[in-house]
């Protein structure tokens, strides 16, 4: 029996009553398998999915709660850090990166951290121009008042 006919339990299709051929013209064998392509299913317990969901909700609530706290220049880094953790949770559990090759997980992690860092530094730099913008707006308001 080839790897293409093995399911996640190690049993072949014929152990489940399938003969490995399409039934009634269905090219997917009725459960998502394509002929000649190995099928790997990753069944996660429901409690893990609910725990990840609860974590995402808690991190969102933390982001909302922190929006009212003045953290100064650290605010963008804290917000982007929380967003990166949420993105990693989605990738690891809902996109099944937990079961993927470690190199792919490492690449995804570094990519998300890089994007968060890039956006954070970009937004941090834009605050350097705020005094000039505020002063110009103030001068324009004075000109209109005359």
């Amino acid at each position: 029996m080839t790897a293409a006919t093995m399911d996640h339990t190690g049993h072949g299709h014929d152990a489940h009553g399938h003969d490995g051929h399409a039934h009634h013209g269905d090219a997917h064998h009725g459960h998502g398998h394509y002929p000649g392509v190995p099928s790997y299913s990753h069944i996660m317990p429901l409690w893990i999915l609910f725990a990840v969901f609860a974590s995402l909700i808690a991190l969102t609530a933390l982001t909302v709660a922190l929006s009212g706290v003045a953290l100064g220049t650290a605010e963008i880094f804290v917000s982007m850090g929380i967003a990166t953790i949420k993105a990693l949770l989605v990738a690891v559990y809902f996109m099944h990166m937990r079961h993927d090759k470690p190199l792919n997980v490492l690449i995804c992690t570094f990519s998300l951290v890089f994007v968060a860092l890039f956006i954070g530094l970009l937004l941090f730099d834009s605050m350097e121009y705020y005094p000039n913008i505020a002063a110009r707006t103030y001068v324009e308001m004075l000109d209109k008042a005359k």
Side-chain angles (χ1 to χ4, degrees):
M1 194 165 309
T2 65
T5 60
M6 301 287 279
D7 66 6
H8 68 280
T9 61
H11 297 96
H13 290 292
D14 52 354
H16 296 290
H18 301 291
D19 59 3
H21 297 288
H23 300 285
H24 307 292
D26 185 3
H28 296 86
H29 301 280
H31 54 279
H33 296 174
Y34 294 93
V37 177
S39 174
Y40 306 103
S41 58
H42 307 291
I43 300 172
M44 272 195 257
L46 211 50
W47 71 268
I48 290 178
L49 297 176
F50 281 123
V52 172
F53 176 71
S55 299
L56 291 170
I57 295 297
L59 288 169
T60 300
L62 179 64
T63 303
V64 172
L66 287 176
S67 68
V69 177
L71 298 174
T73 57
E75 184 175 350
I76 190 67
F77 295 108
V78 171
S79 297
M80 292 306 291
I82 293 171
T84 302
I85 292 169
K86 288 168 55 176
L88 285 172
L89 281 172
V90 169
V92 168
Y93 289 99
F94 296 135
M95 296 173 62
H96 302 276
M97 298 244 1
R98 179 179 177 195
H99 305 285
D100 208 341
K101 295 176 184 174
L103 180 63
N104 291 343
V105 175
L106 191 65
I107 290 170
C108 179
T109 301
F110 280 123
S111 297
L112 288 172
V113 169
F114 174 76
V115 167
L117 201 66
F118 179 74
I119 292 174
L121 290 173
L122 180 70
L123 292 175
F124 184 69
D125 184 53
S126 69
M127 291 306 293
E128 291 295 319
Y129 301 104
Y130 180 74
N132 295 337
I133 295 170
R136 184 175 179 180
T137 305
Y138 180 72
V139 170
E140 288 174 356
M141 285 176 33
L142 288 176
D143 288 341
K144 287 182 183 178
K146 290 181 183 181

